Amino acid sequence: MNSEVKRLRFGAYVKEQRNRRNLTQEKLAELTDLSPVTISAIERGDKAPSFDSLCVIIQALNLDAHRIFPYDVHSIQSQEDAYRYFCEMGKGLSEEQLLALTDFIYKLKKLLP
């Protein structure tokens, strides 16, 4: 799946979830500290959110991470599988964003049994 399709799907998901919560773009912008113009561009698929923006959108809308990162951890059978999933998730991210994603994964791992 190319990045344009991913942006469009993510944008549609954000819009659907925002509408389900009866939030305007302006209210979501307030909750996330993003501008209404940015929220609109993300929802239209014109702009991919930065990692930080993605995190605040997920938190503000209480989104299901499995919808955004559709990788089943139970299907990982080896380190090679985990690495392949991580690389797929990280495509198009800057080095700083990859480091933030890695840090997030390590912190998450500490919370899980």
Side-chain angles (χ1 to χ4, degrees):
M1 178 179 348
N2 70 33
S3 61
E4 182 179 357
V5 171
K6 288 177 185 177
R7 282 193 319 269
L8 289 168
R9 284 186 178 180
F10 179 72
Y13 181 59
V14 168
K15 183 177 183 176
E16 171 193 330
Q17 295 303 309
R18 177 182 59 76
N19 286 331
R20 281 188 179 184
R21 289 158 178 79
N22 295 316
L23 297 173
T24 64
Q25 288 180 341
E26 291 76 15
K27 183 61 179 175
L28 182 57
E30 272 181 46
L31 294 171
T32 59
D33 251 353
L34 300 172
S35 74
V37 171
T38 298
I39 297 294
S40 178
I42 290 170
E43 288 185 356
R44 289 191 316 272
D46 292 342
K47 176 181 171 99
S50 69
F51 182 74
D52 291 339
S53 297
L54 176 64
C55 289
V56 296
I57 291 169
I58 288 171
Q59 184 176 24
L61 294 175
N62 193 26
L63 298 180
D64 178 4
H66 285 93
R67 288 280 311 241
I68 298 165
F69 303 111
Y71 302 101
D72 179 8
V73 294
H74 301 294
S75 69
I76 297 174
Q77 301 296 317
S78 66
Q79 286 184 330
E80 290 81 18
D81 288 345
Y83 178 75
R84 189 171 48 255
Y85 285 155
F86 182 78
C87 290
E88 182 64 29
M89 288 170 57
K91 281 185 181 174
L93 297 179
S94 70
E95 183 177 348
E96 181 180 325
Q97 291 168 326
L98 282 172
L99 289 173
L101 180 58
T102 303
D103 185 51
F104 171 76
I105 290 168
Y106 283 123
K107 287 177 183 173
L108 181 62
K109 185 177 176 182
K110 288 180 183 179
L111 296 174
L112 298 175

